[in-house]
Amino acid sequence: MRMSKLYMPTLREVPSEAEIPSHKLLLRAGMTRKLVSGIYSYLPLGYRVIRKIEQIVREEMDNAGSEELLMSAIQPRELWEASERWESFGPEMFKLKDRNSREFCLGPTHEEYFTNLIKDEVRSYKQLPLNLYQIQTKYRDEKRPRFGVIRAREFIMKDAYSFDKDLEGMERSYKEMWEAYEKIFTRLKLKYKVVQGDSGSMGGNNSHEFMAMSEVGESLVAYCDNCNYAATDEKAEVVYNVKESEGIEDKMEKVYTPDAKTIDDLVDLFKIEKSNFGKALVYNVSGEPVVVIVPGDRELNETKLCNYLGAPEHELEMADEETIIRITGANKGFTGPVGLIGDVKLLVDSRITKMKNLIVGGNETDYHLKNVNYGRDFTGEVVEDLLLVEEGDICPKCGKPLLMDRGIEVGNIFQLGTKYSSSLNANYLDEDGKEKPFVMGSYGVGVSRSMAAIVEQYHDEYGIIWPLVVAPYHVIITIINTKNEEQKQLGEKIYKELLDEGLEVLLDDRNERAGVKFNDRDLIGIPIRITVGKKASENIVEYSLRKDNKNIEISVDEIMDKIRGDFEKEDIRI
Ligand code: ATP
Ligand code: MG
């Protein structure tokens, strides 16, 4: 491709809302463009990267025995009613009506649609296992679209669904997909971790997330260097050892604590560690108030709370002041477990039940209670673990301290079981002619998000540094002075030869200053660079790689050998 013809609208200034490198660089390099919040176009260079990622995903899915098909993005309401997700998916779902007022959604995912597709058509155990996938556009009206294509409202996903006759079969399919994902993300050159995930609205009880590690990642991962334990912060089990305080339960006392509204204020006032407090949080869950008590030195994990309550995350919100006053009789900041007004649901993290002589809010403005003990002074619904993991917590598997890191979730695999097949009546006949629901799994790869994740891991202050496998073009030839005939002709000659070799080549034949050309080639991140300049008359060019920027002079007939060598280093054949 000649750059004089290429549609590559690079930007000097990036929109101020672009906060992270991948978002800025993909915009600046003329690879993506925003239409409205969370809705992006892929311009020619960016779309070439997308197609390469798709191709790697496709090859590994095919190798793993999954078959590609393509479904519509539009799905009828009835399908989602059957699985009870029309409501529970919540405001993330884009809904629309046709001219006859029939309701549809733009598919945020396709569990229902795939289950419905094979239902009544796959009838016998002999046709199982079956694994189907598509690479398709998904729609989610995200609460907070951000970071460009990382959290978009329209994005490209590869989604696959497996159908097995029993649990063992499903586990096998799951493992095959896991292995296929390892191959995909390895080929994409992503540094990643596989971590236990929370199954959320997807249902089922086992899931793993593939995290591209990045300091700007939205996901927090807790992991152990000693054993292989790794989980998202939403999922990670918290081992919290209560200091077994001996001694007797002291007499409960009311303490005047004006102006002390936060745990830190109280720590100053009582001169006692945070872990001696019982922290109360008040939520509104599907319109009902819920009070939760956790140890004062810890944060509550809202995902664990939603899972315990069986409520979708969008139905959880912090209670307003009015609700707090109604159920506690006190202003915000003085909520506690003793003497709540009316029939309020009170959840207690199990650790609280083992702690002695707690300090808690007094449910009276300006007062706290000390020496409060579970069982004697209050009771509630005890929940095993409602805490958010922290760095340094004890690994639930081996007991060593946990580490925390950030990641971008680029893939997700779920063991669904029979949630969708049961609700949609999708059955097969087993060996004895008995009807049984399919046992399912679902598997997603964020194709467009992966593009941004690669940029996060491969860039510097000057631009993107594409790994060869996904680079929009392999080689860029820069003619320093297009007015110089020798340079021009040599550039054209090399261009033609490399194209004949089957390489993807950009020829910078633009009538621009060398500095502009160099800046652009750094920005768009083409891995292999050939510079045709002053020594064109001697058949000598400069050769360099974007990733290390070391220039060497070579003669034109050495170019192909050099390129072959660099392809081999990346394990790719031309
Ligand atoms: P997240 O926790 O980031 O919202 P999710 O759990 O909702 O992700 P899945 O439903 O598992 O995501 O979707 C499969 C894959 O699709 C994810 O692993 C991710 O790579 C990608 N993906 C999900 N939501 C978006 C989005 N809004 N924009 C771009 N890619 C997305
Ligand atoms: Mg999501």
Side-chain angles (χ1 to χ4, degrees):
M1 181 77 207
R2 289 167 188 281
M3 287 181 75
S4 53
K5 298 265 164 25
L6 177 68
Y7 183 60
M8 183 190 79
T10 52
L11 298 176
R12 250 177 247 281
E13 305 284 329
V14 266
S16 55
E17 74 203 48
E19 302 159 75
I20 62 168
S22 62
H23 190 187
K24 290 183 191 160
L25 289 171
L26 287 168
L27 288 171
R28 276 188 56 211
M31 301 209 180
T32 59
R33 273 298 176 273
K34 183 174 104 170
L35 177 63
V36 289
S37 167
I39 311 276
Y40 285 82
S41 312
Y42 309 102
L43 305 190
L45 288 179
Y47 193 47
R48 287 179 73 93
V49 177
I50 291 283
R51 291 214 317 260
K52 291 193 174 184
I53 297 172
E54 286 181 354
Q55 190 52 27
I56 287 172
V57 170
R58 186 171 278 128
E59 284 169 18
E60 295 305 335
M61 290 303 291
D62 292 349
N63 280 339
S66 188
E67 280 177 83
E68 185 171 9
L69 49 70
L70 182 60
M71 290 175 143
S72 168
I74 301 185
Q75 304 181 25
R77 171 178 178 151
E78 299 79 64
L79 268 185
W80 290 78
E81 289 281 5
S83 67
E84 294 179 357
R85 289 211 292 180
W86 181 257
E87 295 300 334
S88 73
F89 214 93
E92 229 177 71
M93 190 186 264
F94 275 108
K95 295 177 176 169
L96 63 152
K97 282 191 185 140
D98 73 6
R99 61 175 72 201
N100 300 313
S101 296
R102 188 172 170 194
E103 288 183 275
F104 295 86
C105 69
L106 295 178
T109 175
H110 277 59
E111 279 75 15
E112 287 81 354
Y113 194 167
F114 269 82
T115 311
N116 184 67
L117 177 83
I118 69 142
K119 169 188 170 181
D120 302 329
E121 309 228 43
V122 177
R123 293 292 296 151
S124 163
Y125 71 95
K126 290 182 194 146
Q127 293 163 282
L128 303 176
L130 177 68
N131 188 324
L132 300 169
Y133 78 96
Q134 63 174 342
I135 297 175
Q136 193 247 12
T137 306
K138 297 280 183 274
Y139 297 86
R140 294 185 188 177
D141 196 358
E142 296 279 353
K143 190 171 180 186
R144 224 183 136 203
R146 60 180 190 157
F147 298 160
V149 297
I150 285 190
R151 185 163 300 283
R153 299 198 294 167
E154 184 195 74
F155 58 97
I156 304 170
M157 196 206 282
K158 184 287 299 173
D159 49 328
Y161 304 85
S162 64
F163 301 88
D164 276 277
K165 56 183 183 154
D166 51 24
L167 274 175
E168 293 82 71
M170 175 193 72
E171 279 164 10
R172 218 171 302 126
S173 299
Y174 190 77
K175 185 160 173 277
E176 281 163 13
M177 287 294 102
W178 179 317
E179 285 163 6
Y181 276 33
E182 296 206 313
K183 290 183 185 143
I184 289 168
F185 296 118
T186 304
R187 282 182 68 185
L188 292 178
K189 303 282 177 210
L190 282 169
K191 296 175 252 317
Y192 69 93
K193 277 195 167 65
V194 190
V195 312
Q196 285 178 30
D198 177 72
S199 296
S201 72
M202 223 42 105
N205 46 24
N206 196 2
S207 75
H208 286 85
E209 297 183 6
F210 286 71
M211 292 285 182
M213 302 321 289
S214 159
E215 61 190 19
V216 300
E218 288 180 291
S219 307
L220 260 175
V221 172
Y223 67 99
C224 176
D225 257 353
N226 184 52
C227 64
N228 57 3
Y229 180 81
T232 61
D233 64 339
E234 294 175 337
K235 174 79 181 174
E237 213 179 295
V238 172
V239 182
Y240 177 93
N241 292 328
V242 178
K243 276 178 266 146
E244 289 296 337
S245 30
E246 304 126 25
I248 38 162
E249 295 181 352
D250 294 328
K251 188 164 170 284
M252 189 166 84
E253 265 177 57
K254 204 157 100 174
V255 187
Y256 183 55
T257 54
D259 307 325
K261 288 190 180 160
T262 66
I263 284 278
D264 289 325
D265 297 340
L266 290 164
V267 166
D268 287 347
L269 193 83
F270 283 87
K271 309 260 177 290
I272 198 167
E273 280 174 26
K274 273 189 191 174
S275 55
N276 294 294
F277 292 85
K279 182 157 74 179
L281 297 123
V282 190
Y283 283 92
N284 235 318
V285 185
S286 316
E288 291 296 319
V290 175
V291 178
V292 193
I293 312 287
V294 297
D297 59 340
R298 300 302 298 235
E299 296 301 320
L300 172 83
N301 181 329
E302 292 190 348
T303 306
K304 289 181 183 172
L305 178 62
C306 286
N307 288 346
Y308 177 79
L309 294 169
E313 219 143 308
H314 63 266
E315 300 223 340
L316 184 85
E317 57 183 18
M318 295 307 292
D320 55 17
E321 189 107 29
E322 204 182 307
T323 308
I324 294 176
I325 294 171
R326 177 164 55 84
I327 63 165
T328 69
N331 291 342
K332 200 174 163 195
F334 301 95
T335 307
V338 184
L340 289 163
I341 302 167
D343 192 14
V344 179
K345 195 189 240 331
L346 174 65
L347 302 184
V348 182
D349 180 78
S350 64
R351 275 51 69 113
I352 289 283
T353 64
K354 298 181 194 127
M355 293 158 74
K356 288 248 165 74
N357 299 327
L358 283 170
I359 302 171
V360 297
N363 291 331
E364 186 178 340
T365 303
D366 292 343
Y367 286 94
H368 278 77
L369 293 173
K370 71 183 229 189
N371 303 329
V372 172
N373 290 284
Y374 185 81
R376 185 189 72 177
D377 305 317
F378 73 100
T379 54
E381 266 177 65
V382 179
V383 187
E384 184 59 33
D385 175 20
L386 285 173
L387 303 186
L388 191 64
V389 68
E390 276 177 11
E391 186 147 50
D393 272 352
I394 294 168
C395 170
K397 240 174 116 180
C398 77
K400 289 270 166 4
L402 288 175
L403 299 165
M404 303 282 287
D405 231 335
R406 295 199 155 269
I408 300 169
E409 180 197 317
V410 284
N412 208 335
I413 54 180
F414 297 93
Q415 294 188 356
L416 299 173
T418 56
K419 172 173 159 130
Y420 297 92
S421 46
S422 298
S423 55
L424 289 153
N425 277 324
N427 301 318
Y428 70 96
L429 294 174
D430 74 3
E431 286 88 335
D432 306 321
K434 266 212 299 227
E435 291 236 328
K436 286 201 174 139
F438 296 105
V439 185
M440 294 173 54
S442 80
Y443 317 92
V445 169
V447 171
S448 39
R449 184 182 279 184
S450 291
M451 168 164 82
I454 295 170
V455 177
E456 284 305 331
Q457 293 189 356
Y458 296 92
H459 71 269
D460 62 15
E461 57 189 306
Y462 305 109
I464 304 170
I465 309 174
W466 290 113
L468 205 43
V469 264
V470 293
Y473 287 88
H474 301 134
V475 184
I476 182 166
I477 303 167
T478 308
I479 302 172
I480 297 272
N481 180 1
T482 40
K483 296 203 176 92
N484 176 306
E485 262 320 297
E486 271 175 336
Q487 289 186 24
K488 207 171 150 196
Q489 276 179 19
L490 186 63
E492 292 282 348
K493 178 172 165 273
I494 300 168
Y495 178 55
K496 187 167 176 310
E497 283 173 8
L498 297 187
L499 286 179
D500 289 346
E501 290 280 353
L503 290 164
E504 298 167 15
V505 193
L506 276 181
L507 176 68
D508 198 346
D509 57 346
R510 294 175 301 167
N511 188 14
E512 291 277 3
R513 283 182 294 113
V516 171
K517 294 181 182 181
F518 289 153
N519 285 345
D520 280 348
R521 82 176 181 186
D522 280 349
L523 180 61
I524 65 175
I526 307 301
I528 298 174
R529 298 107 64 96
I530 293 165
T531 315
V532 184
K534 286 211 178 82
K535 293 199 177 165
S537 53
E538 302 162 51
N539 260 344
I540 287 177
V541 295
E542 278 181 19
Y543 184 96
S544 67
L545 298 180
R546 170 68 178 90
K547 66 177 178 204
D548 59 21
N549 239 338
K550 282 190 206 115
N551 265 309
I552 51 165
E553 288 191 347
I554 59 172
S555 83
V556 172
D557 25 295
E558 289 172 297
I559 292 176
M560 257 331 280
D561 278 349
K562 277 300 285 170
I563 292 179
R564 276 204 192 87
D566 284 319
F567 266 67
E568 262 165 40
K569 276 183 214 151
E570 301 249 336
D571 276 336
I572 314 167
R573 277 207 240 124
I574 298 171

